[in-house]
């Protein structure tokens, strides 16, 4: 989990230093990263609903 957080912070820094020349551009970049995190968390939530902990379906 720490590697994921470090990766997100690093990616955010790189994007903010290279890709956006305005505050609006920075906002768009931050929103995109937020969407990635949201998508990932929704995927995990769906996985947990399909195979709850203790159901014997763990891989």
């Amino acid at each position: 989990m720490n590697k994921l957080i470090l990766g997100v912070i690093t990616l955010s820094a790189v994007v903010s230093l290279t890709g956006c020349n305005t505050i609006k551009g920075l906002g768009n970049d931050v929103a995109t990263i937020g969407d990635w995190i949201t998508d990932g968390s929704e995927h995990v939530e769906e996985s947990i609903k399909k195979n709850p902990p203790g159901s014997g379906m763990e891989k």
Side-chain angles (χ1 to χ4, degrees):
M1 187 62 159
N2 288 337
K3 289 183 180 182
L4 175 64
I5 294 170
L6 180 60
V8 169
I9 291 171
T10 302
L11 181 63
S12 299
V14 169
V15 168
S16 68
L17 293 173
T18 60
C20 53
N21 296 324
T22 64
I23 296 298
K24 182 178 179 182
L26 177 62
N28 290 338
D29 293 342
V30 170
T32 299
I33 293 169
D35 289 340
W36 292 343
I37 293 170
T38 300
D39 291 343
S41 65
E42 287 173 354
H43 176 72
V44 169
E45 184 178 355
E46 290 174 15
S47 294
I48 291 172
K49 285 180 182 178
K50 289 180 183 175
N51 297 317
S55 67
M57 299 296 293
E58 292 89 13
K59 294 181 181 178

